[in-house]
Amino acid sequence: MVYSLFVIFTIIILYIYHVGNCRNQKLIDLIFFLIWVIFAIEYYTTKDYPVYYKGFYALNLNENWEPIYRLLIAIFQPLGFIVFNACVAAFEIFTLCFFFKKIVSPHYRWISLCVLILDTNNLFLLMNFKRQFFAMMVALWIIHFLLYSVHKYKYILAALVFLCAINIHSSAYISIGYFALPLFKRRLNKPVIAVILLIYIASIGFALSSFSDQLMWLLNATGSNSDYYDAYILQQADYEGTSSGFGFFSILSNISLLLLLLIYNKDFNERQYKFLLCSVLSFILLNILKGNFYRLNLYYSIFNIFTISILLQILKNKKKQYLYTYMLCLTLAVPVKSYYNAFLSDKITFMTIKYKHFYTIFHSNPDKKDYLF
């Protein structure tokens, strides 16, 4: 009920924003403030909440947690987990809002916000992966220094940010790919697009588990606990060859977005083109990374929230009305269906079972069961 009220308020704010010709950016700030509130008051709603809540008060039992995250927990011990969670969320949502307003045009921000808020594979997933989302938002500042900053030490600052991110969550090692983005200046021509599509098709049947020894070597090289992540590698093998779990509209949306990003890559400006490359890579990784390894893809798939709005703006400007309408309907259909399944239908999963109630710190008797079906 709490989250549904948040969605209703967001829709009302977006309507007021649209009526005002998208000029009042304080309304966008208000929506992100409400997102922060949702993150801050959540209590035993997302799957991993108990892990971080209990781990905060038993830090000695979580030796796998990275040093900066452990240090922050030690600092916040006198204040408790709820304050710690709210402060971390404040940084996360500020960062997301900062990049959102920097990348997405005002008249198309409502689209990205609908995708972010309604699709449970976006905001709720980020809320669930608390430590990784923290590392992701730190890693985004690598992008800021590499693509936006004019500071003479920007590369050193980007490297320091990278070091901070990997010491919050080891998954941030995959963000090292951000450092290659400034090197990509030439746009994708037809032969390159054809190669990318062939790689995408090949990735559907690619078995990453065949390289389990190399994966273990990489994990050891990062200093990660091999026993802890050995289960991830085994899970990768279990999930390969099984259904992706995505519905028809999600698959159609992903393929359509990939194709149109490739076709119209030359219409993206220099910085937007870098985000486009991240999105393209995310669709390939989506086919390869399974089980818990799929979380690594979030460092690149998060840019889809931005690139879809940029693409729709380009289609509108180029008067590709049929394509624009097709992509807009498809883009909105996926999150609306996701929201309906989680909040209005009888369909439930072990991840979404508590979403309807959305327990908060103000609930006196929240459901603390761990559902594994």
Side-chain angles (χ1 to χ4, degrees):
M1 182 63 181
V2 172
Y3 195 82
S4 294
L5 287 174
F6 159 67
V7 169
I8 291 170
F9 278 123
T10 299
I11 292 172
I12 292 172
I13 294 169
L14 285 175
Y15 174 75
I16 297 172
Y17 176 72
H18 180 72
V19 170
N21 200 27
C22 306
R23 290 194 182 94
N24 190 354
Q25 296 309 306
K26 290 183 178 179
L27 293 174
I28 298 298
D29 293 335
L30 176 58
I31 292 173
F32 277 96
F33 171 77
L34 293 177
I35 293 175
W36 170 75
V37 171
I38 288 294
F39 269 68
I41 67 173
E42 184 233 340
Y43 189 68
Y44 278 89
T45 294
T46 52
K47 179 70 176 175
D48 284 0
Y49 190 93
V51 174
Y52 292 104
Y53 183 84
K54 295 174 183 177
F56 181 90
Y57 297 105
L59 189 56
N60 59 312
L61 300 178
N62 291 279
E63 295 180 355
N64 293 313
W65 287 0
E66 285 71 15
I68 289 182
Y69 194 77
R70 291 170 60 85
L71 174 63
L72 290 173
I73 287 178
I75 293 172
F76 277 86
Q77 277 295 321
L79 301 175
F81 176 76
I82 292 173
V83 174
F84 170 71
N85 184 49
C87 290
V88 171
F91 167 78
E92 294 166 344
I93 304 307
F94 166 79
T95 300
L96 194 59
C97 180
F98 176 84
F99 281 91
F100 185 89
K101 293 197 294 185
K102 185 178 286 289
I103 298 170
V104 183
S105 175
H107 284 85
Y108 293 84
R109 288 174 182 169
W110 70 274
I111 300 171
S112 290
L113 279 168
C114 286
V115 172
L116 176 66
I117 291 168
L118 295 179
D119 193 336
T120 56
N121 287 317
N122 285 325
L123 197 64
F124 267 103
L125 207 60
L126 298 174
M127 198 186 309
N128 181 68
F129 299 148
K130 296 188 183 301
R131 190 161 51 95
Q132 179 176 335
F133 183 43
F134 187 14
M136 287 171 60
M137 292 300 99
V138 172
L140 273 187
W141 289 96
I142 298 173
I143 299 286
H144 171 71
F145 288 119
L146 292 179
L147 302 184
Y148 290 95
S149 177
V150 294
H151 199 288
K152 64 178 179 178
Y153 298 122
K154 65 178 184 179
Y155 294 107
I156 295 175
L157 292 172
L160 291 174
V161 170
F162 176 72
L163 289 174
C164 288
I166 63 176
N167 282 289
I168 292 172
H169 198 278
S170 296
S171 63
Y173 273 102
I174 201 168
S175 68
I176 197 169
Y178 292 171
F179 288 92
L181 291 176
L183 303 177
F184 290 94
K185 299 184 183 299
R186 295 186 63 179
R187 300 308 175 99
L188 307 176
N189 55 27
K190 290 180 181 179
V192 175
I193 291 173
V195 170
I196 291 174
L197 290 176
L198 287 174
I199 293 173
Y200 174 78
I201 294 170
S203 70
I204 297 173
F206 184 80
L208 185 62
S209 60
S210 301
F211 301 89
S212 56
D213 291 340
Q214 289 83 354
L215 286 173
M216 188 58 68
W217 181 85
L218 281 173
L219 289 172
N220 288 331
T222 65
S224 302
N225 186 306
S226 59
D227 294 332
Y228 181 74
Y229 287 104
D230 185 53
Y232 282 24
I233 297 175
L234 293 175
Q235 194 180 63
Q236 171 77 22
D238 291 339
Y239 276 83
E240 284 175 352
T242 63
S243 170
S244 66
F246 291 105
F248 171 77
F249 282 113
S250 293
I251 295 173
L252 181 62
S253 178
N254 287 342
I255 294 175
S256 299
L257 180 56
L258 172 61
L259 289 173
L260 290 174
L261 288 176
L262 292 174
I263 292 170
Y264 290 99
N265 78 88
K266 294 179 181 178
D267 294 294
F268 283 64
N269 67 34
E270 186 177 347
R271 285 173 179 149
Q272 293 171 347
Y273 177 61
K274 310 299 193 284
F275 307 136
L276 177 148
L277 294 174
C278 289
S279 287
V280 170
L281 177 60
S282 76
F283 291 120
I284 296 172
L285 293 177
L286 185 64
N287 291 331
I288 297 173
L289 300 174
K290 306 291 183 180
N292 266 310
F293 273 132
Y294 91 96
R295 296 164 55 153
L296 298 175
N297 191 34
L298 293 174
Y299 286 87
Y300 295 93
S301 64
I302 193 169
F303 291 99
N304 295 347
I305 298 170
F306 307 134
T307 54
I308 182 59
S309 289
I310 298 171
L311 175 64
L312 286 168
Q313 182 180 9
I314 289 170
L315 293 176
K316 188 76 170 179
N317 291 342
K318 293 177 74 69
K319 302 189 186 310
K320 303 290 183 179
Q321 192 59 45
Y322 289 115
L323 275 178
Y324 172 83
T325 304
Y326 165 76
M327 275 309 298
L328 179 61
C329 292
L330 197 56
T331 298
L332 295 178
V334 173
V336 167
K337 187 174 184 293
S338 175
Y339 178 83
Y340 174 82
N341 287 341
F343 290 89
L344 302 174
S345 76
D346 295 328
K347 294 181 180 180
I348 55 172
T349 69
F350 70 94
M351 289 289 287
T352 65
I353 188 170
K354 297 182 184 180
Y355 289 1
K356 288 181 183 179
H357 298 284
F358 197 89
Y359 298 105
T360 72
I361 56 176
F362 304 109
H363 281 90
S364 58
N365 189 31
D367 181 2
K368 296 184 178 182
K369 292 179 183 177
D370 187 17
Y371 296 91
L372 299 173
F373 58 87

